[in-house]
Each structure stands twice: as structure tokens, then as C-alpha cells.
Amino acid sequence: MSALDSNVNQSDDTWTLAGKTYRSRLIVGTGKYKDFEETAASVEASGAEIVTVAVRRVNVSDPNQPMLVDYLDPKKITYLPNTAGCFDASSAVRTLRLAREAGGWDLVKLEVLGDQKTLYPNMLETFDAAETLIKEGFKVMVYCSDDPIAAKKLEDMGCVAIMPLGAPIGSGLGIQNPVQIRLMIEQAGVPLLVDAGVGTASDASVAMELGCDGVLMNTAIADAKDPVRMARAMKLAVESGRLAYQAGRMPKKKYADPSSPLSGLI
Amino acid sequence: MSASIIVNGEIKSIEPGITVWGFLQTLQLDPRKVAVERNLEIVPKSLFKNVNLVDGDKLEIVHFIGGG
């Protein structure tokens, strides 16, 4: 392999989360798909090594319903239990204690929501839950507001990844806050991922071009007309944005600058 | 004689003294795939065969589903 080849080989580009190294910088959710077959095919096409999952009651009236673990093998793919749907610290902590018992792993995604309309994080409850969880040995990836001061505090508390929203959950509006995200990236000593807001492939590239360590998304893939194809688009967009970030973009100029040399014109 | 407990919000009759393990078997649930909370306290999987259910217990049985 030539030096050039190895420089652009994505497999050399890894990131480390809570002591474990990953190649894929795309984390995908497993909600909103039409069935488990489509979920599994989309996860496969996305190349994701980590998937978020929810913790919910088993249907005791019909226990023979198919289960997610029958379609996505937790031994091959990292399950990241989340607390989506929790609006206070105590229910989030309770949910993740159950998740740890169900799966046997400590890596979790904490998300404590403020209200139904915006699904914006409730940061007071998030701090409260993070403190308890970290004390109990959980490795907490935290969904948070795009506030660099709050993020610094979460990192100092011991969160293993900071995950601000780029736009409201499920909105697909794209990265609305590049200034805040960039400030957060600059100061972060742990992985920083954009969690929520991506609508299409270019949005994922924008996040990666800002210098994020990764992107987490669900609806952008699951609600696409062809989720499996969109999953592949997102894989490429994340890789593409990452490469562009590493390559370093050209400076923006106010006026045109010809690409062909002016000397030797006939 | 039977006892009743509340499981995920539904009333269920049980054989008094049945273990968590035994109860999961009656529901045809794979104990490896679920987590159980009894009266707001986690029942570790290692204790499923040792913990007996009594009248009035409140159980939450959860598992992983698709989510964002």
C-alpha cells in the first residue's frame, strides 16, 4: 500500500469511547422502523458498531412476540440503552439500572427531557441523574443542550461522551448551531457527538466537518422512504465529512479565483 | 390457594412462593433477555432462582426494544 493510500484509509481512523476503540463514527437508533428485518438491514447498511435501544415493559399477555435481541446480536454490536421518554432524574436512573441488569453492560445514554413539544434536555435533572449514575459505576454518554459551560461541567463530573443536539429530536432540521457545536468540540476532552437534528446525508457531513467525533441519529434513517439506502448514505456522509475535516478545507474567498493558469494564454 | 401480584400493571395470579425464575417460565419468558424489578428494587439475575414472590408484590419486567 502506498503512503497516500494509507493516509486516506478510513480503517486507520478510530476513536475511543470509555476505553473501547471503534471504527464507525455513526451511532444509529433502532426505533421507528416498520419491523425488525428493516431495523437489522438498516443497521448493517449504516456500518454502525453501536446502536441505541430503549427499555420498556415486556408484553406479558403475548410473550412470544419477536425481540430486538433476536435480530441484532448484542455480542456483535454494542447496545447503548437510553432513557428516551424520561422526564425526571429518578425515572432515568431507574430505567438504566434495569438496563444494566437486562444486558450486563455499563455504557448508557442518559437523556432527560424537558417537555413533549421540544424534547429539549432538562439540564437540572440531567446533572442530577448523571451524578447518581456515575457514582454507581455507569459510563454515561449524555444528551445535552448546546451550552459549552454545561458540557464542561458534565465532563468534569465524569461523563464519557458529550452529546449536544444539532436541532430538536426527530425534527430533521440539520445542524442549527454550528457556532456552539464548534466551541464545545474545541474544549472537549472526551468524545463529542451530535445527537439529534440530522435530516439528510449532508447534515451528517456538516457535523463531521465541524470536527465532531461522531453523529447519532435515528429518525433521519428510519423515516426515509428507503431506510436501508439512507443508512448507507449516512455511512458515506459521516466518512466523507470526517475526511474533509482531516483534510482541512480551503479558505473562503470573496471573489472568483480561476482554476486554470493565466500564463500561456493564446 | 393462590396469591396475586401486579406485573407490568396487570394483576396476575401466582402459586404462592414461586420463584422469579419459575414465574418467568410460566410466562414463557427467557430470563436471559429480561430484567426484573420487584417492589422498586432490582432482582439480580443471579438471584432469580432464590427470590420467592409473595402476595401483593409489584413486578416490572422489561427488555430492550427499538429506540433512539
Side-chain angles (χ1 to χ4, degrees):
Chain A
M1 191 189 288
S2 75
L4 184 64
D5 282 345
S6 69
N7 279 342
V8 296
N9 191 338
Q10 275 292 288
S11 66
D12 294 342
D13 179 44
T14 60
W15 63 294
T16 302
L17 171 67
K20 199 174 164 202
T21 300
Y22 297 92
R23 284 209 162 83
S24 171
R25 291 174 180 272
L26 175 57
I27 298 178
V28 296
T30 52
K32 297 185 176 173
Y33 288 97
K34 79 170 191 279
D35 51 36
F36 286 134
E37 281 83 8
E38 189 180 74
T39 312
S42 299
V43 170
E44 164 113 40
S46 76
E49 295 167 297
I50 305 173
V51 297
T52 59
V53 295
V55 179
R56 293 290 183 272
R57 285 173 163 174
V58 168
N59 182 348
V60 286
S61 317
D62 183 11
N64 291 318
Q65 280 183 349
M67 286 189 176
L68 183 67
V69 290
D70 300 324
Y71 290 82
L72 288 173
D73 185 353
K75 289 193 185 76
K76 292 185 189 144
I77 202 144
T78 300
Y79 269 43
L80 182 63
N82 74 14
T83 59
C86 292
F87 287 82
D88 59 77
S90 62
S91 60
V93 169
R94 188 179 169 206
T95 299
L96 291 177
R97 284 178 182 147
L98 277 165
R100 173 153 73 177
E101 197 52 39
W105 44 78
D106 298 327
L107 187 68
V108 294
K109 173 182 159 184
L110 172 64
E111 115 178 20
V112 188
L113 304 172
D115 70 27
Q116 283 289 357
K117 188 178 172 188
T118 64
L119 300 180
Y120 230 72
N122 179 331
M123 292 306 288
L124 284 177
E125 295 290 317
T126 301
F127 283 125
D128 193 5
E131 190 176 13
T132 306
L133 290 166
I134 291 164
K135 220 177 274 171
E136 293 183 15
F138 286 91
K139 292 164 183 163
V140 179
M141 301 176 75
V142 59
Y143 169 66
C144 58
S145 58
D146 57 4
D147 171 356
I149 309 303
K152 183 75 175 65
K153 186 165 180 211
L154 288 165
E155 186 179 331
D156 291 345
M157 287 169 73
C159 290
V160 300
I162 304 296
M163 306 201 293
L165 71 166
I169 292 172
S171 70
L173 288 169
I175 312 303
Q176 297 297 305
N177 47 3
V179 175
Q180 291 93 316
I181 299 284
R182 185 181 48 76
L183 287 171
M184 294 172 82
I185 291 165
E186 277 177 14
Q187 67 170 22
V190 296
L192 189 131
L193 296 90
V194 163
D195 177 359
V198 166
T200 189
S202 53
D203 299 332
S205 293
V206 167
M208 294 309 295
E209 285 170 10
L210 287 169
C212 290
D213 294 282
V215 181
L216 195 162
M217 65 180 76
N218 187 349
T219 312
I221 297 175
D223 275 3
K225 280 185 189 146
D226 181 343
V228 179
R229 196 173 285 262
M230 186 58 91
R232 177 158 161 72
M234 290 301 183
K235 175 185 199 282
L236 297 171
V238 167
E239 285 175 8
S240 180
R242 175 68 184 167
L243 279 171
Y245 169 73
Q246 289 174 309
R249 62 153 297 146
M250 63 164 278
K252 289 183 180 177
K253 294 169 194 168
K254 278 179 130 175
Y255 301 102
D257 180 7
S259 298
S260 304
L262 293 174
S263 63
L265 270 173
I266 54 168
Chain B
M1 181 187 135
S2 76
S4 50
I5 60 173
I6 297 175
V7 183
N8 291 356
E10 291 178 31
I11 297 171
K12 293 262 176 191
S13 298
I14 57 157
E15 203 181 296
I18 192 170
T19 62
V20 171
W21 179 276
F23 182 63
L24 292 174
Q25 300 286 315
T26 66
L27 292 176
Q28 296 174 284
L29 287 171
D30 183 343
R32 290 169 304 176
K33 293 179 183 170
V34 300
V36 178
E37 189 192 73
R38 176 184 175 231
N39 304 329
L40 298 176
E41 278 190 27
I42 301 269
V43 183
K45 280 188 199 211
S46 56
L47 295 180
F48 278 2
K49 287 180 178 168
N50 305 94
V51 172
N52 302 94
L53 297 176
V54 298
D55 194 49
D57 273 350
K58 282 187 184 160
L59 287 193
E60 288 290 338
I61 306 175
V62 302
H63 67 151
F64 292 126
I65 66 154

